[in-house]
Amino acid sequence: MTAAAPGIVTLGETMALLWPPEVGPLRHAPVLRLGVAGAESNLAVGAVRLGVPATWLGRVGDDEFGRLVTATLRGQGVTTTAVVDPGAPTGLMVKERRTARATRVLYYRSGSAGSRLDPGDVDPAAIAGARVLHVTGITPALSDSARAAVFAAVEEARAAGVTVSLDLNYRSALWSAGEAGPVLRELVHRADVVLATEDEARLVVDAPDDRALVAGLAALGPRHVLLKQGAAGSLSGIDDRLHRVPARTVPVVDPVGAGDAFGAGYLSGLCRGLGAEERLSLATTAGAFAVTVPGDWEGLPSLADLSLLDQDPDAVAR
């Protein structure tokens, strides 16, 4: 394997995604759309669109869903190193838009190829050649071997002086809060950049408010702590300085994937050498774009798109 271009390397499970085009109970949907989704690969696509090379490492089944995953990611410009596992299927994610404002996600990933990720799948050369390694709290929940792969990748990055980014990304469908907390805390200790919602941060630190949550996570070691607060924006502690950034006001079509877009914006800005305020502005704008389009990554902006949110909403480019 060859080393990745200096950029972002990530690893995890990318699944086939099914979702209905209309709002309502899934059982009444006559048609389901087919795509792909995964927190880590969403971020990789977002980084590439923002001008930063990205590599995704993972496993897929020897099936049509697996071929869809690899073809889609490569088509989006993501360097894709996927172990094809003939003994397990590609995982499946199903989204239901139960109401115009409520989205539910179902997983069919027990025993999937992605859950069989192991330390042998980690590419030390790709990690050593990167600017940032990005991992999430989803992958350690999939299996013991996937958890070991995440920690192995983190240790490779630390040994090579590569920045480690962690999005806590807690999924209650995969493990309990009691199981997740200690593992996530160990990863926070090893990370340079941590992204979390307030609820996720409370799995790791006990704090009464958002400022205390940021301070508590920072006390464990990371220099960049980004607390995602949805419609309220974000509160971040970066090199001992607090930054509060309001969210962009946009019509929300599909909220899934906004956090991955936010992370892609911040990490791509870090790779490009932007200052803290510019990185946070880029992250906030990318997150806003993501929620305006159905799908987990389809709405992620390119560099050329970024100014569109500042234009007259009724303007037509001709």
Side-chain angles (χ1 to χ4, degrees):
M1 295 182 183
T2 58
I8 298 169
V9 170
T10 188
L11 74 159
E13 180 174 37
T14 297
M15 300 161 286
L17 169 65
L18 295 173
W19 78 98
E22 63 279 307
V23 175
L26 191 62
R27 63 184 178 274
H28 297 313
V31 175
L32 294 177
R33 293 176 177 172
L34 175 62
V36 305
E40 300 85 3
S41 56
N42 292 344
L43 185 139
V45 172
V48 169
R49 290 192 181 176
L50 292 171
V52 173
T55 296
W56 174 79
L57 311 175
R59 277 185 178 240
V60 297
D62 186 12
D63 51 34
E64 285 300 299
F65 286 159
R67 286 182 272 280
L68 174 66
V69 166
T70 55
T72 300
L73 296 184
R74 287 171 181 152
Q76 293 301 313
V78 176
T79 300
T80 303
T81 302
V83 175
V84 177
D85 189 335
T90 303
L92 178 64
M93 173 180 170
V94 181
K95 284 198 295 190
E96 177 188 44
R97 295 177 62 206
R98 185 60 183 83
T99 72
R101 299 184 64 181
T103 299
R104 297 193 293 208
V105 176
L106 306 171
Y107 294 121
Y108 300 88
R109 63 201 305 182
S110 178
S112 67
S115 72
R116 288 156 56 126
L117 191 73
D118 68 44
D121 300 328
V122 174
D123 184 349
I127 293 172
R131 173 70 173 82
V132 176
L133 169 72
H134 178 72
V135 298
T136 78
I138 299 172
T139 311
L142 299 177
S143 67
D144 290 343
S145 67
R147 186 178 307 171
V150 170
F151 277 91
V154 168
E155 291 308 317
E156 290 284 356
R158 284 161 57 88
V162 172
T163 297
V164 175
S165 168
L166 166 68
D167 192 328
L168 297 191
N169 254 339
Y170 173 64
R171 298 291 185 265
S172 60
L174 299 178
W175 54 352
S176 69
E179 294 171 314
V183 177
L184 296 178
R185 187 178 179 89
E186 285 300 315
L187 286 171
V188 170
H189 270 301
R190 293 164 168 78
D192 303 292
V193 180
V194 171
L195 302 98
T197 65
E198 291 190 35
D199 287 343
E200 289 168 346
R202 288 192 171 90
L203 296 174
V204 178
V205 296
D206 184 14
D209 57 36
D210 56 1
R211 286 175 174 258
L213 286 169
V214 169
L217 289 172
L220 297 176
R223 291 176 45 222
H224 312 245
V225 175
L226 289 76
L227 200 64
K228 298 175 287 185
Q229 299 175 303
S234 64
L235 178 67
S236 304
I238 301 171
D239 293 329
D240 298 320
R241 182 180 174 187
L242 280 175
H243 304 260
R244 192 177 291 277
V245 180
R248 302 291 298 256
T249 301
V250 293
V252 177
V253 174
D254 185 349
V256 179
D260 303 328
F262 184 90
Y266 190 81
L267 295 179
S268 64
L270 191 66
C271 288
R272 290 167 53 205
L274 302 183
E277 297 289 348
E278 292 176 288
R279 296 194 299 265
L280 291 168
S281 176
L282 182 56
T284 302
T285 300
F289 267 97
V291 304
T292 63
V293 175
D296 285 29
W297 53 267
E298 286 82 350
L300 295 170
S302 68
L303 287 172
D305 291 332
L306 294 174
S307 63
L308 293 177
L309 294 186
D310 298 318
Q311 295 180 8
D312 182 336
D314 296 321
V316 178
R318 298 185 188 275

